[in-house]
Amino acid sequence: MPYVLGVDVGTTRTAAAVCRLGGAGRAEPELVGLGGPGGGVASSLQLTADGAFAVGEPGDPRWTAVGFARRVGDDVPIVLGSERCAAEELTALMVMWVAGQVAEREGETAAQIVLAHPPGWGPHAKGLMHQALRAVGLENVTLLAEPLAAAANHSFGRGPVGVFSLGSHAFSAAVVRPFELVAWADGIDQAAGADFDDLVFGHVRATLGREFGSLDAEDPRTRGLYGRLRRDCEAAKRVLSGTFETAIPVHLPSGPVEVPLSRARFEELIRPSVEQAVSVFERVVRGMSLEATVLVGGSARIPLISSLLPGRVVFEAAPETSVVKGAASAGRQLLLGPDDPEPIETSVLVRDDDPLLRFPVGSSLSDDEFTAPPPRPPIDITPLDLPERRSVKRVVRGLAPTGRSRARNSSEDGR
Ligand SMILES: Nc1ncnc2c1ncn2[C@@H]1O[C@H](COP(=O)(O)OP(=O)(O)OP(=O)(O)O)[C@@H](O)[C@H]1O
Ligand SMILES: [Mg+2]
């Protein structure tokens, strides 16, 4: 059955959802398992020795790109050994891989793909993204701001709705009306989930004091201990969203110990950051009478956050999936119209026939349609310890999701 595919490439996790176009009645979006954490897949691309990209596989950090989706529009490339890749090219590869996985499962390619993006993306970032998507053979992609996707997942009236989003690295506050981004603030400077993990790590270090401080940072065993502890800190944070007490195991060379952490102490640690995010949200929504505020992103599971937000707050049981499910629902509405008989304005979505949008999908307009910013002076970002040479030869291992074209890549282009 034909379907719309929603894709959310987050800093740590990429998720997919489909919304079917056939059948009677309201179509609910369905999450698609991608074989990784939380039903999605880690947002990482590792350039392998044979020149292919492996998706979601942890590996040598010198060859593994992470955090690229939040860097689209940034002129500074992501360095993979001796290769330099643009963030939008890596993001497009991720979308292509997801589209391929889902097409394989569904037996057909998506009628439409809706890619959610940070609300701050302007014409330049969107233009680059469309160009990169076309380069991997994805012509039928609509870009939709994350807060609009999140709100599309709920049945609100026409009044303004607030969207407070807190993921692993990104925060955004927005006000939306049906398919209209009224106001927003976003960025990665605001503390998010990964910063909360750091605070828990700091709590462990402070609790253990000298015992922790005397560890030799150069010893590979210490680095292993840090890595494991960081994962345990993140897990403890998640546990505290559902309970009031937990303990973090620390595998010291002298033997294992446990550091207790209560929800009250955790809230004390993160409260200044959360209050700052809430004050940004309050500035964005000032003067507007909100119907409700939708809370999205994995960090929205922390109870303190909903307790500090003003007005009526709504969120799903798995708020990290709200954006991707909403993207799939919005795509269905774009193609078929709303389930609700009242018409909605969809002009924010990218459509070929909308003269207001500069980057229609699948049109004959050239890629240099958008205005590029003035070139920045070259920046030398050569790593000190260069690994052996690898070059991009194939896009993603054993994958031809759309069967239409291969990604442009730096070695083929001779750039
Ligand atoms: N139960 C929970 N309690 C607290 N935090 C949680 C919980 N579950 C997940 N998280 C946190 O949510 C974050 C991941 O959220 P999400 O999947 O929305 O991020 P992302 O989309 O990959 O990144 P971003 O939107 O920041 O680019 C992680 O920091 C994770 O630790
Ligand atoms: Mg996210």
Side-chain angles (χ1 to χ4, degrees):
M1 189 187 294
Y3 64 94
V4 171
L5 169 64
V7 184
D8 175 15
V9 185
T11 310
T12 53
R13 208 176 58 94
T14 292
V18 297
C19 206
R20 297 185 197 285
L21 294 168
R26 189 185 159 87
E28 294 297 335
E30 299 161 32
L31 289 171
V32 183
L34 296 173
V41 67
S43 300
S44 71
L45 285 167
Q46 189 196 162
L47 184 57
T48 58
D50 62 358
F53 278 109
V55 175
E57 288 176 23
D60 186 336
R62 294 170 305 177
W63 294 108
T64 306
V66 291
F68 38 85
R70 299 273 164 200
R71 288 190 45 194
V72 170
D74 184 342
D75 283 348
V76 180
I78 290 165
V79 177
L80 287 175
S82 47
E83 288 286 328
R84 289 162 190 229
C85 301
E88 60 275 11
E89 288 175 346
L90 296 170
T91 307
L93 286 181
M94 213 55 212
V95 179
M96 172 187 136
W97 181 85
V98 170
Q101 294 289 302
V102 178
E104 211 166 280
R105 200 164 311 178
E106 296 285 325
E108 59 183 308
T109 54
Q112 181 77 18
I113 299 173
V114 178
L115 173 62
H117 64 81
W121 278 17
H124 178 61
K126 288 189 217 172
L128 290 173
M129 195 65 244
H130 273 307
Q131 201 176 328
L133 288 163
R134 278 199 293 269
V136 295
L138 295 175
E139 303 277 351
N140 59 339
V141 185
T142 291
L143 300 181
L144 182 66
E146 286 165 5
L148 292 173
N153 210 28
H154 296 265
S155 302
F156 293 120
R158 303 193 67 83
V161 168
V163 181
F164 183 102
S165 170
L166 201 56
S168 63
H169 293 77
F171 160 75
S172 73
V175 177
V176 300
R177 287 203 182 85
F179 293 103
E180 184 195 351
L181 196 52
V182 179
W184 76 91
D186 78 345
I188 51 172
D189 297 336
Q190 192 73 44
D195 303 286
F196 302 160
D197 303 341
D198 289 344
L199 291 170
V200 175
F201 193 100
H203 164 81
V204 172
R205 196 171 39 204
T207 307
L208 293 176
R210 192 178 289 224
E211 221 175 333
F212 199 89
S214 63
L215 291 172
D216 175 8
E218 295 305 314
D219 186 334
R221 282 172 304 180
T222 307
R223 287 203 289 273
L225 183 153
Y226 284 169
R228 186 168 175 179
L229 178 57
R230 219 192 129 70
R231 287 192 293 278
D232 287 334
C233 288
E234 195 264 349
K237 172 192 74 173
R238 281 189 279 113
V239 166
L240 287 175
S241 293
T243 61
F244 292 93
E245 297 281 345
T246 189
I248 301 152
V250 189
H251 302 271
L252 292 170
S254 54
V257 292
E258 285 198 335
V259 174
L261 180 63
S262 66
R263 185 190 284 183
R265 175 69 186 130
F266 174 64
E267 289 182 345
E268 207 173 275
L269 292 170
I270 67 167
R271 186 177 280 272
S273 308
V274 177
E275 283 178 347
Q276 199 185 349
V278 170
S279 76
V280 171
F281 176 79
E282 284 172 336
R283 274 205 300 280
V284 170
V285 308
R286 187 165 296 153
M288 288 186 246
S289 169
L290 299 180
E291 201 172 308
T293 294
V294 188
L295 193 45
V296 299
S299 300
R301 288 175 178 257
I302 298 172
L304 179 69
I305 296 175
S306 53
S307 74
L308 291 179
L309 279 169
R312 179 178 163 234
V313 178
V314 293
F315 56 100
E316 297 187 272
E320 65 277 10
T321 64
S322 299
V323 164
V324 74
K325 288 198 297 180
S329 291
R332 184 179 190 275
Q333 290 182 44
L334 173 70
L335 290 183
L336 301 183
D339 294 319
D340 176 345
E342 193 175 335
I344 56 164
E345 172 59 68
T346 59
S347 62
V348 172
L349 297 177
V350 178
R351 299 179 68 140
D352 277 1
D353 56 0
D354 188 338
L356 292 174
L357 291 159
R358 286 184 241 172
F359 309 107
V361 179
S363 76
S364 56
L365 290 175
S366 65
D367 286 339
D368 53 10
E369 179 83 2
F370 61 90
T371 315
R376 286 193 199 164
I379 297 171
D380 186 3
I381 46 175
T382 308
L384 292 175
D385 175 23
L386 258 186
E388 85 276 17
R389 184 164 175 79
R390 288 180 196 175
S391 55
V392 181
K393 291 205 183 66
R394 283 182 293 124
V395 174
V396 180
R397 191 154 47 202
L399 195 74
T402 62
R404 272 183 274 180
S405 74
R406 287 178 20 171
R408 209 158 40 88
N409 65 56
S410 50
S411 58
E412 285 170 353
D413 286 348
R415 279 183 292 149

